[in-house]
């Protein structure tokens, strides 16, 4: 009887060991599946991160290109302004080199000089003198008018206050 019971317990033990081995295999399979899923998830995350990094780099390149374009434009504008300043300085030097006797000339004398000029440079020089004189006259008139207006305003204010 004990041998029979021992055989029965051995058979049950064998069945339990088989079940344990089967469950162990299932557990290992589940662990491998979970590990594969984790790796797949990590791969997807890495792919998304790579796409995001590429997008950031692309945006950075576009921004850098825009900044460089703005810098080039600013440099061009600076160079143009510098050239304009140089031209104005040259014109000013030409006007400063005008003879003092030319300042005493009347407008009619300057016009006669333009009519009698032999070269284009003489015409430009005398024309610049006339333009300069006109500009200075306009500026003087503006100053005089402004001073007169201030005086009139002051008189009005004084009259109002009295």
């Amino acid at each position: 009887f004990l041998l029979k019971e021992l055989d029965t317990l051995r058979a049950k033990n064998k069945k339990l060991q088989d079940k344990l081995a089967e469950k162990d295999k299932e557990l290992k399979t589940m662990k491998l599946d979970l590990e594969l899923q984790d790796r797949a998830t990590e791969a997807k995350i890495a792919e998304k991160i790579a796409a995001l990094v590429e997008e950031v780099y692309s945006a950075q390149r576009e921004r850098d290109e825009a900044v460089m374009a703005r810098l080039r434009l600013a440099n061009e504008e600076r160079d143009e302004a510098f050239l304009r300043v140089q031209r104005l300085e040259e014109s000013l030097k030409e006007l400063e080199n005008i003879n003092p006797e030319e300042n005493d000339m009347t407008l009619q004398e300057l016009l006669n000089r333009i009519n009698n000029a032999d070269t284009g440079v003489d015409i430009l020089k005398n024309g610049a003198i006339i333009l300069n004189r006109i500009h200075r006259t306009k500026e003087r008139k503006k100053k005089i008018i402004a001073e007169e207006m201030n005086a009139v305003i002051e008189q009005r204010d004084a009259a109002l206050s009295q």
Side-chain angles (χ1 to χ4, degrees):
F1 172 76
L2 285 176
L3 285 174
K4 198 177 187 185
E5 200 172 303
L6 186 61
D7 286 339
T8 312
L9 286 175
R10 280 188 187 153
K12 280 185 179 180
N13 193 16
K14 178 140 175 80
K15 284 181 188 179
L16 287 174
Q17 283 180 347
D18 289 343
K19 275 187 178 182
L20 179 64
E22 186 179 319
K23 294 294 180 186
D24 198 27
K25 284 181 187 177
E26 284 179 23
L27 182 62
K28 286 181 183 178
T29 304
M30 285 183 184
K31 282 183 179 178
L32 286 175
D33 286 344
L34 184 60
E35 190 176 318
L36 285 175
Q37 285 177 350
D38 285 347
R39 288 190 181 167
T41 304
E42 287 174 4
K44 285 180 183 178
I45 291 171
E47 184 179 315
K48 287 180 181 180
I49 290 174
L52 183 62
V53 167
E54 182 60 34
E55 187 177 326
V56 167
Y57 281 145
S58 175
Q60 181 69 28
R61 277 191 296 271
E62 288 177 13
R63 188 185 74 76
D64 289 346
E65 289 171 3
V67 166
M68 291 305 294
R70 280 188 239 132
L71 282 174
R72 272 187 245 112
L73 180 63
N75 285 337
E76 289 173 7
E77 289 175 353
R78 182 203 63 213
D79 293 342
E80 288 174 9
F82 183 71
L83 288 174
R84 273 188 257 129
V85 166
Q86 282 181 334
R87 283 189 217 119
L88 288 173
E89 285 176 349
E90 289 172 6
S91 298
L92 185 61
K93 284 180 184 178
E94 288 177 13
L95 290 175
E96 288 175 355
N97 291 334
I98 296 172
N99 295 333
E101 68 243 14
E102 291 174 346
N103 288 333
D104 295 337
M105 281 191 241
T106 65
L107 190 57
Q108 186 59 42
E109 289 172 343
L110 288 170
L111 289 172
N112 288 337
R113 283 180 95 185
I114 289 176
N115 287 333
N116 297 332
D118 294 333
T119 63
V121 174
D122 290 338
I123 293 172
L124 288 175
K125 185 177 178 183
N126 291 316
I129 293 168
I130 291 172
L131 288 175
N132 186 28
R133 190 169 287 174
I134 291 170
H135 179 70
R136 285 189 309 205
T137 304
K138 283 183 177 179
E139 289 297 317
R140 269 190 253 122
K141 283 183 180 179
K142 283 182 186 177
K143 285 181 184 177
I144 290 169
I145 290 172
E147 289 174 4
E148 288 176 358
M149 287 299 292
N150 286 335
V152 168
I153 290 172
E154 287 175 11
Q155 288 174 1
R156 183 201 65 191
D157 291 343
L160 287 174
S161 66
Q162 287 177 358

